[in-house]
């Protein structure tokens, strides 16, 4: 990537006015809204049922997702699948996406056995990519939006949101009737008390499952 590669500043420059979901997944490949496209293998768009009542939002695709072209298929995805199953949420009935659609990475130290390490997206990149997330939400109209980790939570609920303090609670939002933030699967994978963190994650997802069950099938965002 050239040092001055900044993209146009907004994914909106690459989105048709009323795109259907499958059309967006194609259009995102041509997005130059920020510079991240330049070093990623491919864009990783959201996936799942078009009529999904729950949408899960992560941060950025990881190494495995970048290579596969699908969200949450690496180690974090495996943990997410296990937690969803424990909570009684069928991933096939959910829509899964990320706030940023291209993998951001830095070179791993020589000899570490890895090549690319995840790097946190900047506020500029998150802001540039946000139009894709907004269009996904508008197309899927989930009843509940679940933010996985602080990056997603702050992108959706505002910069003052603190996952440690406010996780597991439902908030109103312009984007969906209910928004909850919880832990990011990769934070659980890194935690010393992994089992306890996993229990907390599953408990939050059970609240989502209960609220979904209590919401009529006709209700949408
Ligand atoms: N972490 C994320 O936030 N999203 C993915 O798709 C994979 C890992
Ligand atoms: Fe576009 Fe988002 Fe990729 Fe940046 S990260 S180029 S805004 S799709």
């Amino acid at each position: 990537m050239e040092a001055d590669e900044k993209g146009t500043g907004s994914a909106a420059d690459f989105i048709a006015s009323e795109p259907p979901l499958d059309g967006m997944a194609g259009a995102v490949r041509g997005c130059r809204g920020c510079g991240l496209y330049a070093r990623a293998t491919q864009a990783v768009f959201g996936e799942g049922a078009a009529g999904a009542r729950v949408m899960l939002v992560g941060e950025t695709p990881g190494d495995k997702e970048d290579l596969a072209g699908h969200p949450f298929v690496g180690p974090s995805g495996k943990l997410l699948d296990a937690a969803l199953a424990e909570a009684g949420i069928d991933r096939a009935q959910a829509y899964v996406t990320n706030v940023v659609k291209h993998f951001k990475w830095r070179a791993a130290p020589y000899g570490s056995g890895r090549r690319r390490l995840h790097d946190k997206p900047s506020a500029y990149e998150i802001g540039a990519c946000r139009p894709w997330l907004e269009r996904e939400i508008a197309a899927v109209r989930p009843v509940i939006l679940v933010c996985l980790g602080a990056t997603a939570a702050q992108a959706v609920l505002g910069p003052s949101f603190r996952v440690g303090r406010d996780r597991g609670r439902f908030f109103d939002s312009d984007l969906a009737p209910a928004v909850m933030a919880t832990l990011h699967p990769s934070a659980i994978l890194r935690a010393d008390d992994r089992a306890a963190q996993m229990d907390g994650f599953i408990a939050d997802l059970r609240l989502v499952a209960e609220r979904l069950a209590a919401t009529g099938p006709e209700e949408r965002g």
Side-chain angles (χ1 to χ4, degrees), residues 1-10 32-37 124 128:
M1 177 165 54
E2 298 296 321
D4 61 354
E5 178 56 82
K6 284 193 117 40
T8 65
S10 178
R32 304 288 182 262
C34 74
L36 292 183
Y37 75 88
Y124 172 84

Side-chain angles (χ1 to χ4, degrees), residues 59-201:
E59 185 189 78
T60 72
D63 183 68
K64 294 276 191 305
E65 289 77 15
D66 170 79
L67 296 171
H70 303 289
F72 281 106
V73 294
S76 319
K78 303 267 179 309
L79 185 142
L80 177 63
D81 288 347
L84 287 172
E86 281 287 324
I89 298 172
D90 183 358
R91 176 156 168 180
Q93 300 299 315
Y95 185 92
V96 180
T97 192
N98 287 298
V99 285
V100 166
K101 312 303 194 218
H102 279 101
F103 179 39
K104 182 174 183 180
W105 59 275
R106 58 197 160 81
Y110 181 74
S112 70
R114 303 176 67 179
R115 193 168 73 84
R116 307 186 299 175
L117 295 180
H118 161 274
D119 205 1
K120 213 172 143 50
S122 68
Y124 172 84
E125 290 150 356
I126 293 168
C129 211
R130 192 181 161 89
W132 290 117
L133 179 65
E134 288 174 359
R135 302 307 162 92
E136 288 178 291
I137 294 169
V140 177
R141 295 172 57 217
V143 179
I144 305 181
L145 201 57
V146 181
C147 301
L148 302 172
T151 302
Q154 291 175 356
V156 170
L157 290 161
S160 60
F161 192 89
R162 293 289 170 269
V163 173
R165 185 186 62 200
D166 296 326
R167 63 177 275 209
R169 295 169 51 200
F170 290 102
F171 293 88
D172 297 335
S173 156
D174 296 342
L175 295 171
V179 180
M180 177 201 274
T182 181
L183 303 175
H184 192 290
S186 68
I188 301 172
L189 287 173
R190 285 192 309 266
D192 295 332
D193 56 343
R194 206 196 264 199
Q197 298 290 326
M198 183 67 168
D199 287 347
F201 185 46

